[in-house]
PDB file of all heavy atoms in Angstrom:
ATOM      1  N   ASP A  58      17.883 -22.274  -6.633  1.00 92.00           N
ATOM      2  CA  ASP A  58      17.314 -23.378  -7.479  1.00 92.00           C
ATOM      3  C   ASP A  58      16.062 -23.843  -6.760  1.00 92.00           C
ATOM      4  O   ASP A  58      15.931 -23.849  -5.568  1.00 92.00           O
ATOM      5  CB  ASP A  58      18.273 -24.587  -7.614  1.00 92.00           C
ATOM      6  CG  ASP A  58      17.741 -25.596  -8.680  1.00 92.00           C
ATOM      7  OD1 ASP A  58      17.984 -25.318  -9.878  1.00 92.00           O
ATOM      8  OD2 ASP A  58      17.222 -26.578  -8.241  1.00 92.00           O
ATOM      9  N   GLY A 157       2.819 -11.529  -7.070  1.00 87.00           N
ATOM     10  CA  GLY A 157       3.299 -12.754  -7.780  1.00 87.00           C
ATOM     11  C   GLY A 157       2.625 -12.873  -9.046  1.00 87.00           C
ATOM     12  O   GLY A 157       1.497 -12.307  -9.289  1.00 87.00           O
ATOM     13  N   PRO A 217      25.907   6.666  -9.035  1.00 90.00           N
ATOM     14  CA  PRO A 217      26.196   6.999 -10.485  1.00 90.00           C
ATOM     15  C   PRO A 217      26.282   5.712 -11.289  1.00 90.00           C
ATOM     16  O   PRO A 217      26.757   4.647 -10.887  1.00 90.00           O
ATOM     17  CB  PRO A 217      27.575   7.706 -10.425  1.00 90.00           C
ATOM     18  CG  PRO A 217      27.709   8.152  -8.996  1.00 90.00           C
ATOM     19  CD  PRO A 217      26.944   7.189  -8.187  1.00 90.00           C
ATOM     20  N   ALA A 257      38.006  -9.000 -23.319  1.00 98.00           N
ATOM     21  CA  ALA A 257      38.403  -7.624 -23.351  1.00 98.00           C
ATOM     22  C   ALA A 257      38.736  -7.125 -21.979  1.00 98.00           C
ATOM     23  O   ALA A 257      39.789  -6.495 -21.767  1.00 98.00           O
ATOM     24  CB  ALA A 257      37.320  -6.815 -23.962  1.00 98.00           C
ATOM     25  N   ALA A 260      42.026  -8.676 -20.581  1.00 98.00           N
ATOM     26  CA  ALA A 260      43.248  -8.031 -21.121  1.00 98.00           C
ATOM     27  C   ALA A 260      43.487  -6.717 -20.479  1.00 98.00           C
ATOM     28  O   ALA A 260      44.687  -6.335 -20.190  1.00 98.00           O
ATOM     29  CB  ALA A 260      43.069  -7.822 -22.649  1.00 98.00           C
ATOM     30  N   PRO A 279      45.892 -20.859 -19.923  1.00 96.00           N
ATOM     31  CA  PRO A 279      46.480 -19.940 -18.944  1.00 96.00           C
ATOM     32  C   PRO A 279      45.460 -19.736 -17.828  1.00 96.00           C
ATOM     33  O   PRO A 279      44.317 -19.806 -17.956  1.00 96.00           O
ATOM     34  CB  PRO A 279      46.779 -18.666 -19.674  1.00 96.00           C
ATOM     35  CG  PRO A 279      46.719 -19.054 -21.131  1.00 96.00           C
ATOM     36  CD  PRO A 279      45.761 -20.246 -21.292  1.00 96.00           C
ATOM     37  N   LEU A 298      28.411 -30.454   0.000  1.00 98.00           N
ATOM     38  CA  LEU A 298      28.215 -29.247  -0.913  1.00 98.00           C
ATOM     39  C   LEU A 298      26.953 -29.414  -1.673  1.00 98.00           C
ATOM     40  O   LEU A 298      26.642 -30.454  -2.236  1.00 98.00           O
ATOM     41  CB  LEU A 298      29.397 -29.255  -1.886  1.00 98.00           C
ATOM     42  CG  LEU A 298      30.879 -29.169  -1.252  1.00 98.00           C
ATOM     43  CD1 LEU A 298      31.893 -29.196  -2.399  1.00 98.00           C
ATOM     44  CD2 LEU A 298      31.019 -27.926  -0.411  1.00 98.00           C
ATOM     45  N   ARG A 344      40.159 -32.881  -0.857  1.00 95.00           N
ATOM     46  CA  ARG A 344      39.632 -33.704  -1.937  1.00 95.00           C
ATOM     47  C   ARG A 344      38.142 -33.713  -1.910  1.00 95.00           C
ATOM     48  O   ARG A 344      37.524 -33.570  -0.862  1.00 95.00           O
ATOM     49  CB  ARG A 344      40.120 -35.112  -1.756  1.00 95.00           C
ATOM     50  CG  ARG A 344      41.578 -35.429  -1.823  1.00 95.00           C
ATOM     51  CD  ARG A 344      41.857 -36.876  -1.449  1.00 95.00           C
ATOM     52  NE  ARG A 344      41.009 -37.786  -2.072  1.00 95.00           N
ATOM     53  CZ  ARG A 344      40.346 -38.826  -1.460  1.00 95.00           C
ATOM     54  NH1 ARG A 344      40.450 -38.963  -0.083  1.00 95.00           N
ATOM     55  NH2 ARG A 344      39.610 -39.646  -2.111  1.00 95.00           N
ATOM     56  N   ARG A 359      13.416 -37.238   9.359  1.00 97.00           N
ATOM     57  CA  ARG A 359      14.694 -37.887   9.221  1.00 97.00           C
ATOM     58  C   ARG A 359      15.414 -37.482   7.902  1.00 97.00           C
ATOM     59  O   ARG A 359      14.814 -37.062   6.950  1.00 97.00           O
ATOM     60  CB  ARG A 359      14.511 -39.400   9.248  1.00 97.00           C
ATOM     61  CG  ARG A 359      13.842 -39.994   8.014  1.00 97.00           C
ATOM     62  CD  ARG A 359      13.490 -41.475   8.266  1.00 97.00           C
ATOM     63  NE  ARG A 359      12.923 -42.057   7.053  1.00 97.00           N
ATOM     64  CZ  ARG A 359      12.354 -43.229   7.072  1.00 97.00           C
ATOM     65  NH1 ARG A 359      12.227 -43.940   8.164  1.00 97.00           N
ATOM     66  NH2 ARG A 359      11.867 -43.776   5.921  1.00 97.00           N
ATOM     67  N   ALA A 406      28.071 -49.458   5.247  1.00 84.00           N
ATOM     68  CA  ALA A 406      28.345 -50.250   6.412  1.00 84.00           C
ATOM     69  C   ALA A 406      29.440 -49.598   7.267  1.00 84.00           C
ATOM     70  O   ALA A 406      29.330 -49.604   8.502  1.00 84.00           O
ATOM     71  CB  ALA A 406      28.786 -51.628   5.967  1.00 84.00           C
TER      72      ALA A 406
END
Side-chain angles (χ1 to χ4, degrees):
D58 190 81
L298 304 176
R344 296 172 48 228
R359 68 189 186 192

